[in-house]
Amino acid sequence: MADKIYYFIMVPMVYFAVAVFVIGILVRVIRLAAAPRHPSTLAVFPKPKAGGPRVLYDTFLMPQVREHAPWFWVSLLLFHIAFLLLILGHLDLIPGVNIMPEDSIHMLGWGAVGVAVTLACFFFILRRTGSPIREISTPGDFLLLFLLLFLFLTGDTISWANSWNEDGFVLSKSDFGDYLQLLLDFSFASPRDVLYGSHYIVVVLHVLLANLLLIVFPFSKVMHTFFAMPLNRLRRG
């Protein structure tokens, strides 16, 4: 029974989660684009300097946040940079990509990337326990943050073991690459054919949490990721 549950999480649920993620984002973007034009301008007056470079500066360096909440700004910047590296680190697992040397046992960042996103996530959770953020926080905010936290912690267990332990995690980067190749090939083969050992349950939990994140993402506040640049452009008139 357990093997069937593991297989569902590691194969069919992955495809389902990706489908919900992509379709959900497309639906949200299409609905927003088709919505009636806002009756009044969203620009800030007096209008700040306009232009593409300034919009990029506002979007990625978040000067307004830095001005009003410096520690929050540091955590946000750390989180976004580390999350980008995290995406690259997972792409590195795909056979043939080789961002890190092909024969390297280390994850991209040697485990430091996982430390960065985990610490930032802890800060975000603690920040929501204090006033006035606590009063405007919803259960969904905490659910999303704890989902991210445990997703990062299970990933850290794998990454730290591979990068900081002489014996590694038993399951190597090459093994994970073989699993991803099975998914990319739509072979629907059992991941147990390429992932061995007692640590398999940690990988299953990590994939389960990643699936859940993909499923809830289009319906969460994190959708601001796709609208940050357009909103900054509107704000600048």
Side-chain angles (χ1 to χ4, degrees):
M1 183 64 180
D3 285 340
K4 291 181 179 179
I5 295 174
Y6 295 164
Y7 175 80
F8 172 77
I9 292 170
M10 296 289 285
V11 182
M13 189 179 181
V14 173
Y15 295 130
F16 174 75
V18 172
V20 171
F21 176 77
V22 174
I23 295 172
I25 288 174
L26 288 176
V27 169
R28 289 286 299 273
V29 172
I30 291 171
R31 288 180 62 184
L32 182 66
R37 184 181 180 85
H38 202 278
S40 61
T41 179
L42 297 177
V44 175
F45 293 94
K47 290 184 178 180
K49 294 180 181 179
R54 188 69 194 186
V55 172
L56 292 174
Y57 173 77
D58 284 350
T59 302
F60 295 106
L61 293 183
M62 302 166 286
Q64 300 89 352
V65 180
R66 183 186 64 214
E67 181 179 350
H68 295 97
W71 282 110
F72 183 44
W73 175 79
V74 170
S75 297
L76 279 175
L77 206 60
L78 179 68
F79 180 85
H80 285 91
I81 293 172
F83 199 84
L84 175 60
L85 293 174
L86 205 62
I87 293 173
L88 294 177
H90 283 73
L91 290 176
D92 185 44
L93 297 176
I94 300 175
V97 174
N98 299 330
I99 297 175
M100 295 285 284
E102 185 174 3
D103 58 348
S104 173
I105 64 170
H106 300 292
M107 313 297 285
L108 183 67
W110 288 271
V113 173
V115 173
V117 289
T118 303
L119 289 178
C121 198
F122 269 118
F123 177 84
F124 297 151
I125 292 173
L126 291 175
R127 178 175 176 269
R128 287 201 172 270
T129 62
S131 194
I133 307 300
R134 181 179 64 245
E135 285 74 17
I136 61 174
S137 296
T138 66
D141 295 328
F142 286 101
L143 176 64
L144 182 63
L145 285 172
F146 277 105
L147 177 59
L148 283 170
L149 177 62
F150 287 107
L151 173 64
F152 295 150
L153 287 174
T154 53
D156 290 340
T157 303
I158 300 169
S159 177
W160 296 343
N162 273 322
S163 295
W164 299 349
N165 180 13
E166 290 183 1
D167 297 326
F169 188 66
V170 177
L171 298 172
S172 67
K173 282 176 57 180
S174 175
D175 296 328
F176 296 134
D178 291 338
Y179 163 61
L180 290 177
Q181 192 64 58
L182 291 178
L183 293 176
L184 294 172
D185 291 341
F186 292 93
S187 67
F188 287 91
S190 173
R192 274 293 199 185
D193 295 341
V194 294
L195 299 176
Y196 310 99
S198 58
H199 290 161
Y200 182 67
I201 183 60
V202 180
V203 181
V204 172
L205 287 173
H206 185 64
V207 174
L208 172 62
L209 293 169
N211 289 340
L212 293 175
L213 179 63
L214 290 175
I215 291 170
V216 304
F217 186 97
F219 313 101
S220 71
K221 294 179 181 179
V222 190
M223 272 295 294
H224 77 272
T225 305
F226 293 89
F227 303 127
M229 192 176 297
L231 286 174
N232 275 312
R233 183 68 186 88
L234 286 172
R235 187 178 62 83
R236 291 192 167 276

